[in-house]
Amino acid sequence: MSVGRLPIVELPDARVAGFEALVRWQHPERGVVSPIEFIEIAEECGLIGALGEFVLNSACRQLMAWQRQFGSGMPRMISVNLSRAQLNDADIARQVERVLHATRMPAASLQLEVTESMAAQGDDIRTRLLELKALGIALALDDFGTGYSSLACLGQLPIDVVKIDRSFVADAETNLHKRVLIEATVRVARSLGMSTTAEGVETDGQAALLTTLGCDKGQGYLWSRPMTARAATQWLAAQSEASQPVEAVPAAVR
Ligand code: MG
Ligand code: MG
């Protein structure tokens, strides 16, 4: 089991904002097993709580290590996906609080992602989302546009960030309908004080269009594929160097 790190960047200048932690399972014979498959298995075996805590813990530790190495804004946050079983666990907010405490991570640096179908599921789930928000973390609505909820429902969910699904981004340049939907999502999100992140950005043209449409952040192969910890650290080092102002050379050594 390993955690891939996918950069999330600011638009339009592609400065790094954070990373999404993606769980992967490299099976010795079967290759990479999809999360949908092994999360289902983990849920069935009652291991999902432990798996969720492991991912959260390693993500927070990683962010703190990067900030020690590169400075507090490098990167600012880490985003972790919650599974349905985790959100059904009445203890989830306490678990997250425990991890934040153990890793000494400020709550504001953590974002948790839930899908529309998970978030829009009755009062128990809503209470849990509000408990998580009360810790000071950010909540993101993952893969927006693929579920059943509409733009009209956004205002009823206690979320901070709308992640626009890759299926909209992929066709945005050629399909007017998709483009209008992205634009409407950005406007509604803004009017509710939420920000937007586009998923699955693969081309410069898509990034430029998303910027024009007012999208705040993006993630996707245009900037990077999910990386190992080591590769992500090297990637950050390169970003950090590129963003340093060129130091004036003192006259004495010129
Ligand atoms: Mg996600
Ligand atoms: Mg997603």
Side-chain angles (χ1 to χ4, degrees):
M1 193 79 63
S2 66
V3 181
R5 289 113 180 128
L6 182 65
I8 300 172
V9 304
E10 308 277 357
L11 292 175
D13 59 8
R15 259 181 310 128
V16 61
F19 282 82
E20 178 176 355
L22 297 165
V23 194
R24 297 187 292 195
W25 183 17
Q26 184 77 43
H27 190 277
E29 283 141 36
R30 294 171 59 192
V32 177
V33 180
S34 96
I36 299 169
E37 217 175 316
F38 73 72
I39 284 176
E40 209 169 281
I41 298 168
E43 283 180 358
E44 279 168 20
C45 314
L47 284 171
I48 193 73
L51 175 64
E53 189 156 349
F54 162 77
V55 174
L56 192 59
N57 212 303
S58 64
C60 294
R61 268 181 213 295
Q62 174 79 83
L63 186 75
M64 297 321 286
W66 278 333
Q67 291 194 349
R68 276 194 299 276
Q69 188 172 350
F70 300 111
S72 63
M74 206 59 197
R76 283 200 313 280
M77 61 91 168
I78 195 115
S79 197
V80 178
N81 296 282
L82 280 192
S83 72
R84 185 178 299 275
Q86 282 176 290
L87 204 54
N88 280 330
D89 181 353
D91 202 40
I92 184 68
R94 273 180 297 273
Q95 188 187 107
V96 172
E97 195 175 21
R98 258 198 321 269
V99 171
L100 289 173
H101 185 76
T103 57
R104 298 173 180 235
M105 179 147 118
S109 303
L110 178 63
Q111 174 172 294
L112 294 176
E113 302 189 10
V114 296
T115 60
E116 299 171 65
S117 61
M118 278 160 59
Q121 264 195 355
D123 291 344
D124 283 0
I125 298 295
R126 192 183 167 76
T127 306
R128 238 148 268 160
L129 292 174
L130 290 171
E131 282 170 4
L132 286 167
K133 262 189 79 76
L135 297 174
I137 65 154
L139 284 180
L141 194 59
D142 204 2
D143 309 332
F144 182 74
T146 56
Y148 301 105
S149 62
S150 65
L151 282 173
C153 297
L154 273 185
Q156 289 152 29
L157 298 171
I159 53 161
D160 307 281
V161 179
V162 181
K163 295 191 78 172
I164 299 168
D165 189 68
R166 59 175 61 245
S167 57
F168 292 87
V169 175
D171 300 336
E173 286 174 287
T174 50
N175 184 325
L176 177 66
H177 174 65
K178 296 277 173 76
R179 192 154 72 232
V180 171
L181 278 169
I182 295 175
E183 194 171 15
T185 305
V186 169
R187 285 197 186 178
V188 172
R190 269 202 191 155
S191 75
L192 293 164
M194 301 166 181
S195 72
T196 45
T197 301
E199 305 187 271
V201 183
E202 293 185 359
T203 68
D204 285 317
Q206 288 166 357
L209 177 59
L210 288 160
T211 302
T212 307
L213 297 178
C215 203
D216 300 296
K217 296 190 183 75
Q219 61 182 59
Y221 290 178
L222 173 60
W223 298 289
S224 171
R225 290 171 181 265
M227 294 178 274
T228 61
R230 198 195 177 123
T233 303
Q234 283 167 357
W235 187 87
L236 270 175
Q239 300 282 313
S240 167
E241 247 163 58
S243 68
Q244 294 292 326
V246 180
E247 272 176 45
V249 183
V253 296
R254 238 181 246 158

